[in-house]
Amino acid sequence: MRDNPTKERRSSRIDWNQEFSFELAICLWAEQNWPPSRDGSEKFLVGRQIGTKRRRWDTVLVKTTSEQLQQRNKFGSQEFDQQQLHILKNAPQTWAWYREALPEPEYPWRYIREEIHRLANWGTIETRKQSNKIEIRRKWEYPSWIDRIVAIENKPDLDASAAKNLTAQLKHDIALGLADEAWVATRVTEDETEPVLFADLPVEAGAMTFNPSQMTAEVHWYPRQLAVDQVGTRIKHLSDDQNKPTCEFSYASFEWKEQQRAEIAERVYARGWRSYIDIMQPDCKHFELQEYSGGMLPDCKYYGPCQRSRKCKQSCKEFEPEPPQWRTQGWPISGGPGIRFQEILEQRRQRSREHHSNDE
C-alpha cells in the first residue's frame, strides 16, 4: 500500500517535541490501539488532562464492557459530579421523599434539591410533589461501569529535569493508588538505548516509547497493579535530601478513592480527549481541523499544526473572527465553520462511546 504523501508532509510540519501535539497523538493512538501488545478485544475510553484537584494526568483511559457502557449511555452524554452521583446511585425504585431516600450528605440538603431538579431536567430521574414534599424515583439503576483506570504521563523529551519531576509525580500516584496502572510515554529517539531506560523511575510504573509520525509504540516494561482497593497515602512533601530525608503524608480512605475514581471516569466519558477545542477559538478564520491517522488535529495558518490552546484565544494578535458571510452562504444559519468543527469533534466523541458499547 502506497504511503499517503499528504500525511507525511503534515506530519513533518508538526513539532512532536511539543507536549500538546505529542499528547494528542498519544490519545489518538490509544483510542485505536490500547492496550499495547495485549489482547486487542479490550476497549478503553480515552480522556485528556483529567484527574483530581491536586493531580491531573496527561492521558486517562477507562476500561469498561459493552454491557456496562450501554447502561451508562442511558443517562446521556453529560458528566455527573459528586452530588449528582450521590443522587443517582441512591435514588429509590419507588417514590420516596428525597430526604428519606438518600443517605445524609456531607453538604446542606439545599444543594441536593438543586441537583435533583437539574437531574430531572436532564431526564435521568423522576420527581413529583406530594404533601408539599419533593419525591424522587430512579428511571434506571446507575451502573458500576468502571473496570480499570489507566494513567499515562507524556514526556516527549525526557531530559534529566523532566525525569526528576516525573519521578516525584509517579511516586505520588503509586502511593495513592487512585489509578490501576501508571505509565510513562516518551518519544522514540535514535539513541542506541532509549533515555527512559536510564531514568530513575519507580518500578511500579510502566514505560513505553512512542513514534507519533508512524503512530507506533514499543513497551519496555509493563506496570504493576496498584492498590486501588486499599487505603491510599497522599504524599504532601517528599524531600530528596539524602542526609535528611523527610516525608509529609496523610491517608486517603477507600471510600474517598472510589468516589474520585467515579468522578474521573465520568469526566473521561463526557469530555474524551477532543475537548481541547472547548478552550480554543474555532470561530477564527485561521482555525482548521486536519485529518491525521484516522483522527482530527487542530491546525492554524500562523502557528501551524497543533497550536497550543494558550495561543489559540481572542487575545492572539492574529485572531480574526469568521466573516459574517461564512455563516450564511453554504453554512448553517446557526454558525459558520467554527460551529461545524465543534460538531465534528462532538460527533466523534459520541461515536467512540457508541462504538465501544456496541462491541460484542
PDB file of all heavy atoms in Angstrom, residues 44-79:
ATOM      1  N   PHE A  44     -11.150   0.742  25.552  1.00  0.00           N
ATOM      2  CA  PHE A  44     -10.978   1.799  26.545  1.00  0.00           C
ATOM      3  C   PHE A  44     -11.518   3.112  26.015  1.00  0.00           C
ATOM      4  O   PHE A  44     -11.353   3.438  24.831  1.00  0.00           O
ATOM      5  CB  PHE A  44      -9.494   1.979  26.883  1.00  0.00           C
ATOM      6  CG  PHE A  44      -8.876   0.852  27.661  1.00  0.00           C
ATOM      7  CD1 PHE A  44      -8.548  -0.343  27.042  1.00  0.00           C
ATOM      8  CD2 PHE A  44      -8.615   0.988  29.011  1.00  0.00           C
ATOM      9  CE1 PHE A  44      -7.965  -1.380  27.754  1.00  0.00           C
ATOM     10  CE2 PHE A  44      -8.043  -0.044  29.739  1.00  0.00           C
ATOM     11  CZ  PHE A  44      -7.721  -1.230  29.107  1.00  0.00           C
ATOM     12  N   LEU A  45     -12.139   3.894  26.903  1.00  0.00           N
ATOM     13  CA  LEU A  45     -12.450   5.280  26.613  1.00  0.00           C
ATOM     14  C   LEU A  45     -11.230   6.113  26.982  1.00  0.00           C
ATOM     15  O   LEU A  45     -10.570   5.851  27.990  1.00  0.00           O
ATOM     16  CB  LEU A  45     -13.661   5.745  27.419  1.00  0.00           C
ATOM     17  CG  LEU A  45     -14.995   5.056  27.134  1.00  0.00           C
ATOM     18  CD1 LEU A  45     -16.083   5.619  28.046  1.00  0.00           C
ATOM     19  CD2 LEU A  45     -15.404   5.215  25.675  1.00  0.00           C
ATOM     20  N   VAL A  46     -10.949   7.147  26.198  1.00  0.00           N
ATOM     21  CA  VAL A  46      -9.728   7.934  26.378  1.00  0.00           C
ATOM     22  C   VAL A  46     -10.084   9.383  26.718  1.00  0.00           C
ATOM     23  O   VAL A  46     -10.927   9.997  26.059  1.00  0.00           O
ATOM     24  CB  VAL A  46      -8.857   7.898  25.108  1.00  0.00           C
ATOM     25  CG1 VAL A  46      -7.551   8.676  25.334  1.00  0.00           C
ATOM     26  CG2 VAL A  46      -8.567   6.466  24.692  1.00  0.00           C
ATOM     27  N   GLY A  47      -9.441   9.903  27.753  1.00  0.00           N
ATOM     28  CA  GLY A  47      -9.598  11.304  28.138  1.00  0.00           C
ATOM     29  C   GLY A  47      -8.249  11.983  28.239  1.00  0.00           C
ATOM     30  O   GLY A  47      -7.203  11.325  28.292  1.00  0.00           O
ATOM     31  N   ARG A  48      -8.277  13.313  28.297  1.00  0.00           N
ATOM     32  CA  ARG A  48      -7.035  14.099  28.325  1.00  0.00           C
ATOM     33  C   ARG A  48      -7.117  15.169  29.397  1.00  0.00           C
ATOM     34  O   ARG A  48      -8.148  15.814  29.559  1.00  0.00           O
ATOM     35  CB  ARG A  48      -6.821  14.725  26.946  1.00  0.00           C
ATOM     36  CG  ARG A  48      -5.681  15.712  26.866  1.00  0.00           C
ATOM     37  CD  ARG A  48      -5.588  16.408  25.532  1.00  0.00           C
ATOM     38  NE  ARG A  48      -4.745  17.579  25.663  1.00  0.00           N
ATOM     39  CZ  ARG A  48      -5.179  18.766  26.030  1.00  0.00           C
ATOM     40  NH1 ARG A  48      -6.452  18.971  26.265  1.00  0.00           N
ATOM     41  NH2 ARG A  48      -4.321  19.771  26.170  1.00  0.00           N
ATOM     42  N   GLN A  49      -6.011  15.357  30.143  1.00  0.00           N
ATOM     43  CA  GLN A  49      -5.913  16.389  31.173  1.00  0.00           C
ATOM     44  C   GLN A  49      -7.072  16.266  32.176  1.00  0.00           C
ATOM     45  O   GLN A  49      -7.858  17.186  32.375  1.00  0.00           O
ATOM     46  CB  GLN A  49      -5.891  17.776  30.546  1.00  0.00           C
ATOM     47  CG  GLN A  49      -4.620  18.085  29.778  1.00  0.00           C
ATOM     48  CD  GLN A  49      -3.380  18.129  30.681  1.00  0.00           C
ATOM     49  OE1 GLN A  49      -3.423  18.631  31.807  1.00  0.00           O
ATOM     50  NE2 GLN A  49      -2.281  17.564  30.200  1.00  0.00           N
ATOM     51  N   ILE A  50      -7.163  15.100  32.794  1.00  0.00           N
ATOM     52  CA  ILE A  50      -8.253  14.785  33.724  1.00  0.00           C
ATOM     53  C   ILE A  50      -7.647  14.195  34.991  1.00  0.00           C
ATOM     54  O   ILE A  50      -6.670  13.450  34.949  1.00  0.00           O
ATOM     55  CB  ILE A  50      -9.254  13.796  33.082  1.00  0.00           C
ATOM     56  CG1 ILE A  50     -10.014  14.490  31.949  1.00  0.00           C
ATOM     57  CG2 ILE A  50     -10.229  13.232  34.115  1.00  0.00           C
ATOM     58  CD1 ILE A  50     -10.906  13.581  31.152  1.00  0.00           C
ATOM     59  N   GLY A  51      -8.233  14.528  36.132  1.00  0.00           N
ATOM     60  CA  GLY A  51      -7.765  13.986  37.396  1.00  0.00           C
ATOM     61  C   GLY A  51      -8.520  14.588  38.560  1.00  0.00           C
ATOM     62  O   GLY A  51      -9.724  14.827  38.481  1.00  0.00           O
ATOM     63  N   THR A  52      -7.801  14.861  39.649  1.00  0.00           N
ATOM     64  CA  THR A  52      -8.399  15.431  40.844  1.00  0.00           C
ATOM     65  C   THR A  52      -7.928  16.877  40.997  1.00  0.00           C
ATOM     66  O   THR A  52      -7.181  17.400  40.160  1.00  0.00           O
ATOM     67  CB  THR A  52      -7.997  14.623  42.091  1.00  0.00           C
ATOM     68  OG1 THR A  52      -6.581  14.761  42.297  1.00  0.00           O
ATOM     69  CG2 THR A  52      -8.327  13.144  41.908  1.00  0.00           C
ATOM     70  N   LYS A  53      -8.338  17.499  42.090  1.00  0.00           N
ATOM     71  CA  LYS A  53      -7.939  18.884  42.341  1.00  0.00           C
ATOM     72  C   LYS A  53      -6.423  19.008  42.474  1.00  0.00           C
ATOM     73  O   LYS A  53      -5.823  20.000  42.049  1.00  0.00           O
ATOM     74  CB  LYS A  53      -8.618  19.390  43.615  1.00  0.00           C
ATOM     75  CG  LYS A  53      -8.334  20.853  43.931  1.00  0.00           C
ATOM     76  CD  LYS A  53      -8.931  21.264  45.265  1.00  0.00           C
ATOM     77  CE  LYS A  53     -10.439  21.182  45.251  1.00  0.00           C
ATOM     78  NZ  LYS A  53     -11.029  21.685  46.528  1.00  0.00           N
ATOM     79  N   ARG A  54      -5.785  17.988  43.060  1.00  0.00           N
ATOM     80  CA  ARG A  54      -4.344  18.064  43.315  1.00  0.00           C
ATOM     81  C   ARG A  54      -3.487  17.404  42.242  1.00  0.00           C
ATOM     82  O   ARG A  54      -2.288  17.622  42.186  1.00  0.00           O
ATOM     83  CB  ARG A  54      -4.021  17.400  44.667  1.00  0.00           C
ATOM     84  CG  ARG A  54      -4.618  18.104  45.865  1.00  0.00           C
ATOM     85  CD  ARG A  54      -4.181  17.430  47.158  1.00  0.00           C
ATOM     86  NE  ARG A  54      -4.678  18.117  48.331  1.00  0.00           N
ATOM     87  CZ  ARG A  54      -5.853  17.894  48.891  1.00  0.00           C
ATOM     88  NH1 ARG A  54      -6.663  16.980  48.364  1.00  0.00           N
ATOM     89  NH2 ARG A  54      -6.233  18.559  49.969  1.00  0.00           N
ATOM     90  N   ARG A  55      -4.091  16.590  41.400  1.00  0.00           N
ATOM     91  CA  ARG A  55      -3.282  15.817  40.438  1.00  0.00           C
ATOM     92  C   ARG A  55      -4.054  15.628  39.141  1.00  0.00           C
ATOM     93  O   ARG A  55      -5.182  15.136  39.134  1.00  0.00           O
ATOM     94  CB  ARG A  55      -2.943  14.456  41.043  1.00  0.00           C
ATOM     95  CG  ARG A  55      -2.119  13.566  40.117  1.00  0.00           C
ATOM     96  CD  ARG A  55      -0.674  14.037  40.092  1.00  0.00           C
ATOM     97  NE  ARG A  55       0.175  13.069  39.408  1.00  0.00           N
ATOM     98  CZ  ARG A  55       0.582  13.207  38.144  1.00  0.00           C
ATOM     99  NH1 ARG A  55       0.200  14.254  37.431  1.00  0.00           N
ATOM    100  NH2 ARG A  55       1.370  12.296  37.599  1.00  0.00           N
ATOM    101  N   ARG A  56      -3.436  16.042  38.044  1.00  0.00           N
ATOM    102  CA  ARG A  56      -4.070  15.893  36.742  1.00  0.00           C
ATOM    103  C   ARG A  56      -3.146  15.073  35.850  1.00  0.00           C
ATOM    104  O   ARG A  56      -1.949  15.332  35.774  1.00  0.00           O
ATOM    105  CB  ARG A  56      -4.322  17.268  36.118  1.00  0.00           C
ATOM    106  CG  ARG A  56      -5.005  17.212  34.763  1.00  0.00           C
ATOM    107  CD  ARG A  56      -5.244  18.600  34.222  1.00  0.00           C
ATOM    108  NE  ARG A  56      -6.184  19.333  35.036  1.00  0.00           N
ATOM    109  CZ  ARG A  56      -6.558  20.589  34.798  1.00  0.00           C
ATOM    110  NH1 ARG A  56      -6.046  21.238  33.769  1.00  0.00           N
ATOM    111  NH2 ARG A  56      -7.425  21.185  35.574  1.00  0.00           N
ATOM    112  N   TRP A  57      -3.723  14.074  35.172  1.00  0.00           N
ATOM    113  CA  TRP A  57      -2.942  13.210  34.294  1.00  0.00           C
ATOM    114  C   TRP A  57      -3.062  13.678  32.843  1.00  0.00           C
ATOM    115  O   TRP A  57      -4.085  14.201  32.424  1.00  0.00           O
ATOM    116  CB  TRP A  57      -3.417  11.771  34.402  1.00  0.00           C
ATOM    117  CG  TRP A  57      -3.153  11.149  35.731  1.00  0.00           C
ATOM    118  CD1 TRP A  57      -1.965  11.111  36.408  1.00  0.00           C
ATOM    119  CD2 TRP A  57      -4.099  10.461  36.570  1.00  0.00           C
ATOM    120  NE1 TRP A  57      -2.109  10.447  37.597  1.00  0.00           N
ATOM    121  CE2 TRP A  57      -3.408  10.036  37.727  1.00  0.00           C
ATOM    122  CE3 TRP A  57      -5.446  10.163  36.456  1.00  0.00           C
ATOM    123  CZ2 TRP A  57      -4.024   9.333  38.751  1.00  0.00           C
ATOM    124  CZ3 TRP A  57      -6.071   9.466  37.468  1.00  0.00           C
ATOM    125  CH2 TRP A  57      -5.358   9.055  38.603  1.00  0.00           C
ATOM    126  N   ASP A  58      -1.994  13.428  32.081  1.00  0.00           N
ATOM    127  CA  ASP A  58      -1.997  13.820  30.674  1.00  0.00           C
ATOM    128  C   ASP A  58      -3.029  13.031  29.875  1.00  0.00           C
ATOM    129  O   ASP A  58      -3.807  13.587  29.110  1.00  0.00           O
ATOM    130  CB  ASP A  58      -0.604  13.615  30.063  1.00  0.00           C
ATOM    131  CG  ASP A  58       0.448  14.518  30.683  1.00  0.00           C
ATOM    132  OD1 ASP A  58       0.077  15.597  31.191  1.00  0.00           O
ATOM    133  OD2 ASP A  58       1.634  14.152  30.666  1.00  0.00           O
ATOM    134  N   THR A  59      -3.001  11.721  30.049  1.00  0.00           N
ATOM    135  CA  THR A  59      -3.944  10.834  29.344  1.00  0.00           C
ATOM    136  C   THR A  59      -4.533   9.862  30.350  1.00  0.00           C
ATOM    137  O   THR A  59      -3.807   9.288  31.162  1.00  0.00           O
ATOM    138  CB  THR A  59      -3.225  10.054  28.225  1.00  0.00           C
ATOM    139  OG1 THR A  59      -2.612  10.973  27.318  1.00  0.00           O
ATOM    140  CG2 THR A  59      -4.210   9.181  27.458  1.00  0.00           C
ATOM    141  N   VAL A  60      -5.847   9.688  30.295  1.00  0.00           N
ATOM    142  CA  VAL A  60      -6.543   8.769  31.193  1.00  0.00           C
ATOM    143  C   VAL A  60      -7.394   7.827  30.345  1.00  0.00           C
ATOM    144  O   VAL A  60      -8.119   8.266  29.448  1.00  0.00           O
ATOM    145  CB  VAL A  60      -7.444   9.511  32.193  1.00  0.00           C
ATOM    146  CG1 VAL A  60      -8.105   8.523  33.150  1.00  0.00           C
ATOM    147  CG2 VAL A  60      -6.652  10.555  32.964  1.00  0.00           C
ATOM    148  N   LEU A  61      -7.294   6.534  30.635  1.00  0.00           N
ATOM    149  CA  LEU A  61      -8.087   5.537  29.932  1.00  0.00           C
ATOM    150  C   LEU A  61      -8.964   4.797  30.929  1.00  0.00           C
ATOM    151  O   LEU A  61      -8.513   4.447  32.020  1.00  0.00           O
ATOM    152  CB  LEU A  61      -7.183   4.536  29.198  1.00  0.00           C
ATOM    153  CG  LEU A  61      -6.240   5.125  28.146  1.00  0.00           C
ATOM    154  CD1 LEU A  61      -4.864   5.350  28.741  1.00  0.00           C
ATOM    155  CD2 LEU A  61      -6.127   4.211  26.943  1.00  0.00           C
ATOM    156  N   VAL A  62     -10.199   4.573  30.551  1.00  0.00           N
ATOM    157  CA  VAL A  62     -11.154   3.857  31.397  1.00  0.00           C
ATOM    158  C   VAL A  62     -11.597   2.601  30.667  1.00  0.00           C
ATOM    159  O   VAL A  62     -12.169   2.682  29.567  1.00  0.00           O
ATOM    160  CB  VAL A  62     -12.372   4.726  31.745  1.00  0.00           C
ATOM    161  CG1 VAL A  62     -13.381   3.924  32.567  1.00  0.00           C
ATOM    162  CG2 VAL A  62     -11.941   5.975  32.497  1.00  0.00           C
ATOM    163  N   LYS A  63     -11.314   1.447  31.266  1.00  0.00           N
ATOM    164  CA  LYS A  63     -11.744   0.172  30.690  1.00  0.00           C
ATOM    165  C   LYS A  63     -13.132  -0.160  31.214  1.00  0.00           C
ATOM    166  O   LYS A  63     -13.427  -0.050  32.405  1.00  0.00           O
ATOM    167  CB  LYS A  63     -10.776  -0.946  31.054  1.00  0.00           C
ATOM    168  CG  LYS A  63     -11.152  -2.303  30.465  1.00  0.00           C
ATOM    169  CD  LYS A  63     -10.135  -3.363  30.851  1.00  0.00           C
ATOM    170  CE  LYS A  63     -10.497  -4.700  30.223  1.00  0.00           C
ATOM    171  NZ  LYS A  63     -11.752  -5.249  30.781  1.00  0.00           N
ATOM    172  N   THR A  64     -13.983  -0.584  30.300  1.00  0.00           N
ATOM    173  CA  THR A  64     -15.335  -0.981  30.654  1.00  0.00           C
ATOM    174  C   THR A  64     -15.756  -2.108  29.721  1.00  0.00           C
ATOM    175  O   THR A  64     -14.957  -2.587  28.916  1.00  0.00           O
ATOM    176  CB  THR A  64     -16.286   0.227  30.548  1.00  0.00           C
ATOM    177  OG1 THR A  64     -17.600  -0.142  30.983  1.00  0.00           O
ATOM    178  CG2 THR A  64     -16.350   0.766  29.140  1.00  0.00           C
ATOM    179  N   THR A  65     -16.993  -2.548  29.822  1.00  0.00           N
ATOM    180  CA  THR A  65     -17.524  -3.562  28.914  1.00  0.00           C
ATOM    181  C   THR A  65     -18.653  -2.961  28.105  1.00  0.00           C
ATOM    182  O   THR A  65     -19.215  -1.921  28.457  1.00  0.00           O
ATOM    183  CB  THR A  65     -18.043  -4.781  29.688  1.00  0.00           C
ATOM    184  OG1 THR A  65     -19.205  -4.384  30.450  1.00  0.00           O
ATOM    185  CG2 THR A  65     -16.987  -5.329  30.637  1.00  0.00           C
ATOM    186  N   SER A  66     -19.003  -3.627  27.021  1.00  0.00           N
ATOM    187  CA  SER A  66     -20.085  -3.139  26.171  1.00  0.00           C
ATOM    188  C   SER A  66     -21.391  -3.042  26.947  1.00  0.00           C
ATOM    189  O   SER A  66     -22.120  -2.053  26.842  1.00  0.00           O
ATOM    190  CB  SER A  66     -20.257  -4.065  24.966  1.00  0.00           C
ATOM    191  OG  SER A  66     -19.085  -4.096  24.180  1.00  0.00           O
ATOM    192  N   GLU A  67     -21.669  -4.062  27.748  1.00  0.00           N
ATOM    193  CA  GLU A  67     -22.927  -4.071  28.510  1.00  0.00           C
ATOM    194  C   GLU A  67     -22.957  -2.937  29.535  1.00  0.00           C
ATOM    195  O   GLU A  67     -23.964  -2.241  29.680  1.00  0.00           O
ATOM    196  CB  GLU A  67     -23.096  -5.423  29.211  1.00  0.00           C
ATOM    197  CG  GLU A  67     -24.411  -5.535  29.986  1.00  0.00           C
ATOM    198  CD  GLU A  67     -24.570  -6.880  30.662  1.00  0.00           C
ATOM    199  OE1 GLU A  67     -23.709  -7.759  30.446  1.00  0.00           O
ATOM    200  OE2 GLU A  67     -25.559  -7.050  31.410  1.00  0.00           O
ATOM    201  N   GLN A  68     -21.843  -2.742  30.245  1.00  0.00           N
ATOM    202  CA  GLN A  68     -21.787  -1.677  31.237  1.00  0.00           C
ATOM    203  C   GLN A  68     -21.932  -0.308  30.579  1.00  0.00           C
ATOM    204  O   GLN A  68     -22.616   0.581  31.104  1.00  0.00           O
ATOM    205  CB  GLN A  68     -20.460  -1.754  31.999  1.00  0.00           C
ATOM    206  CG  GLN A  68     -20.346  -2.955  32.929  1.00  0.00           C
ATOM    207  CD  GLN A  68     -18.932  -3.152  33.429  1.00  0.00           C
ATOM    208  OE1 GLN A  68     -17.970  -2.717  32.807  1.00  0.00           O
ATOM    209  NE2 GLN A  68     -18.795  -3.811  34.574  1.00  0.00           N
ATOM    210  N   LEU A  69     -21.299  -0.137  29.432  1.00  0.00           N
ATOM    211  CA  LEU A  69     -21.359   1.145  28.753  1.00  0.00           C
ATOM    212  C   LEU A  69     -22.752   1.412  28.186  1.00  0.00           C
ATOM    213  O   LEU A  69     -23.216   2.560  28.159  1.00  0.00           O
ATOM    214  CB  LEU A  69     -20.321   1.184  27.633  1.00  0.00           C
ATOM    215  CG  LEU A  69     -19.900   2.567  27.138  1.00  0.00           C
ATOM    216  CD1 LEU A  69     -19.453   3.460  28.281  1.00  0.00           C
ATOM    217  CD2 LEU A  69     -18.804   2.449  26.092  1.00  0.00           C
ATOM    218  N   GLN A  70     -23.439   0.377  27.751  1.00  0.00           N
ATOM    219  CA  GLN A  70     -24.819   0.551  27.299  1.00  0.00           C
ATOM    220  C   GLN A  70     -25.700   1.060  28.427  1.00  0.00           C
ATOM    221  O   GLN A  70     -26.563   1.917  28.224  1.00  0.00           O
ATOM    222  CB  GLN A  70     -25.366  -0.780  26.762  1.00  0.00           C
ATOM    223  CG  GLN A  70     -24.798  -1.182  25.415  1.00  0.00           C
ATOM    224  CD  GLN A  70     -25.226  -2.577  25.002  1.00  0.00           C
ATOM    225  OE1 GLN A  70     -25.983  -3.242  25.711  1.00  0.00           O
ATOM    226  NE2 GLN A  70     -24.747  -3.032  23.862  1.00  0.00           N
ATOM    227  N   GLN A  71     -25.463   0.543  29.640  1.00  0.00           N
ATOM    228  CA  GLN A  71     -26.233   1.017  30.793  1.00  0.00           C
ATOM    229  C   GLN A  71     -25.888   2.472  31.112  1.00  0.00           C
ATOM    230  O   GLN A  71     -26.770   3.273  31.429  1.00  0.00           O
ATOM    231  CB  GLN A  71     -25.944   0.133  32.015  1.00  0.00           C
ATOM    232  CG  GLN A  71     -26.384  -1.312  31.849  1.00  0.00           C
ATOM    233  CD  GLN A  71     -27.879  -1.433  31.574  1.00  0.00           C
ATOM    234  OE1 GLN A  71     -28.695  -0.800  32.249  1.00  0.00           O
ATOM    235  NE2 GLN A  71     -28.224  -2.228  30.583  1.00  0.00           N
ATOM    236  N   ARG A  72     -24.620   2.834  31.012  1.00  0.00           N
ATOM    237  CA  ARG A  72     -24.234   4.224  31.271  1.00  0.00           C
ATOM    238  C   ARG A  72     -24.790   5.158  30.193  1.00  0.00           C
ATOM    239  O   ARG A  72     -25.174   6.304  30.486  1.00  0.00           O
ATOM    240  CB  ARG A  72     -22.693   4.335  31.337  1.00  0.00           C
ATOM    241  CG  ARG A  72     -22.153   5.766  31.431  1.00  0.00           C
ATOM    242  CD  ARG A  72     -22.697   6.496  32.645  1.00  0.00           C
ATOM    243  NE  ARG A  72     -22.280   7.883  32.689  1.00  0.00           N
ATOM    244  CZ  ARG A  72     -22.873   8.886  32.049  1.00  0.00           C
ATOM    245  NH1 ARG A  72     -23.931   8.637  31.281  1.00  0.00           N
ATOM    246  NH2 ARG A  72     -22.437  10.114  32.178  1.00  0.00           N
ATOM    247  N   ASN A  73     -24.851   4.702  28.951  1.00  0.00           N
ATOM    248  CA  ASN A  73     -25.334   5.544  27.860  1.00  0.00           C
ATOM    249  C   ASN A  73     -26.781   5.999  28.059  1.00  0.00           C
ATOM    250  O   ASN A  73     -27.191   7.034  27.522  1.00  0.00           O
ATOM    251  CB  ASN A  73     -25.225   4.797  26.528  1.00  0.00           C
ATOM    252  CG  ASN A  73     -23.784   4.656  26.053  1.00  0.00           C
ATOM    253  OD1 ASN A  73     -22.890   5.308  26.585  1.00  0.00           O
ATOM    254  ND2 ASN A  73     -23.566   3.805  25.074  1.00  0.00           N
ATOM    255  N   LYS A  74     -27.556   5.249  28.835  1.00  0.00           N
ATOM    256  CA  LYS A  74     -28.948   5.626  29.087  1.00  0.00           C
ATOM    257  C   LYS A  74     -29.054   6.986  29.770  1.00  0.00           C
ATOM    258  O   LYS A  74     -30.073   7.664  29.659  1.00  0.00           O
ATOM    259  CB  LYS A  74     -29.639   4.570  29.956  1.00  0.00           C
ATOM    260  CG  LYS A  74     -29.828   3.224  29.285  1.00  0.00           C
ATOM    261  CD  LYS A  74     -30.497   2.243  30.248  1.00  0.00           C
ATOM    262  CE  LYS A  74     -30.703   0.876  29.612  1.00  0.00           C
ATOM    263  NZ  LYS A  74     -31.329  -0.077  30.568  1.00  0.00           N
ATOM    264  N   PHE A  75     -28.005   7.368  30.493  1.00  0.00           N
ATOM    265  CA  PHE A  75     -28.038   8.603  31.270  1.00  0.00           C
ATOM    266  C   PHE A  75     -27.580   9.819  30.466  1.00  0.00           C
ATOM    267  O   PHE A  75     -27.513  10.919  31.014  1.00  0.00           O
ATOM    268  CB  PHE A  75     -27.174   8.450  32.524  1.00  0.00           C
ATOM    269  CG  PHE A  75     -27.732   7.480  33.528  1.00  0.00           C
ATOM    270  CD1 PHE A  75     -27.528   6.116  33.395  1.00  0.00           C
ATOM    271  CD2 PHE A  75     -28.485   7.932  34.607  1.00  0.00           C
ATOM    272  CE1 PHE A  75     -28.052   5.214  34.311  1.00  0.00           C
ATOM    273  CE2 PHE A  75     -29.006   7.041  35.533  1.00  0.00           C
ATOM    274  CZ  PHE A  75     -28.801   5.690  35.383  1.00  0.00           C
ATOM    275  N   GLY A  76     -27.284   9.633  29.194  1.00  0.00           N
ATOM    276  CA  GLY A  76     -26.896  10.761  28.367  1.00  0.00           C
ATOM    277  C   GLY A  76     -25.396  10.984  28.351  1.00  0.00           C
ATOM    278  O   GLY A  76     -24.617  10.280  29.003  1.00  0.00           O
ATOM    279  N   SER A  77     -24.959  12.005  27.601  1.00  0.00           N
ATOM    280  CA  SER A  77     -23.537  12.260  27.377  1.00  0.00           C
ATOM    281  C   SER A  77     -22.926  13.224  28.390  1.00  0.00           C
ATOM    282  O   SER A  77     -21.718  13.430  28.386  1.00  0.00           O
ATOM    283  CB  SER A  77     -23.324  12.811  25.966  1.00  0.00           C
ATOM    284  OG  SER A  77     -24.031  14.033  25.800  1.00  0.00           O
ATOM    285  N   GLN A  78     -23.749  13.841  29.260  1.00  0.00           N
ATOM    286  CA  GLN A  78     -23.198  14.787  30.226  1.00  0.00           C
ATOM    287  C   GLN A  78     -22.475  14.046  31.353  1.00  0.00           C
ATOM    288  O   GLN A  78     -22.754  12.893  31.632  1.00  0.00           O
ATOM    289  CB  GLN A  78     -24.291  15.684  30.820  1.00  0.00           C
ATOM    290  CG  GLN A  78     -25.322  14.966  31.663  1.00  0.00           C
ATOM    291  CD  GLN A  78     -26.466  14.396  30.852  1.00  0.00           C
ATOM    292  OE1 GLN A  78     -26.496  14.494  29.643  1.00  0.00           O
ATOM    293  NE2 GLN A  78     -27.424  13.795  31.539  1.00  0.00           N
ATOM    294  N   GLU A  79     -21.543  14.743  31.992  1.00  0.00           N
ATOM    295  CA  GLU A  79     -20.835  14.152  33.126  1.00  0.00           C
ATOM    296  C   GLU A  79     -21.558  14.483  34.420  1.00  0.00           C
ATOM    297  O   GLU A  79     -22.233  15.512  34.527  1.00  0.00           O
ATOM    298  CB  GLU A  79     -19.398  14.670  33.197  1.00  0.00           C
ATOM    299  CG  GLU A  79     -19.265  16.124  33.565  1.00  0.00           C
ATOM    300  CD  GLU A  79     -17.822  16.578  33.624  1.00  0.00           C
ATOM    301  OE1 GLU A  79     -17.214  16.806  32.559  1.00  0.00           O
ATOM    302  OE2 GLU A  79     -17.288  16.702  34.736  1.00  0.00           O
TER     303      GLU A  79
END
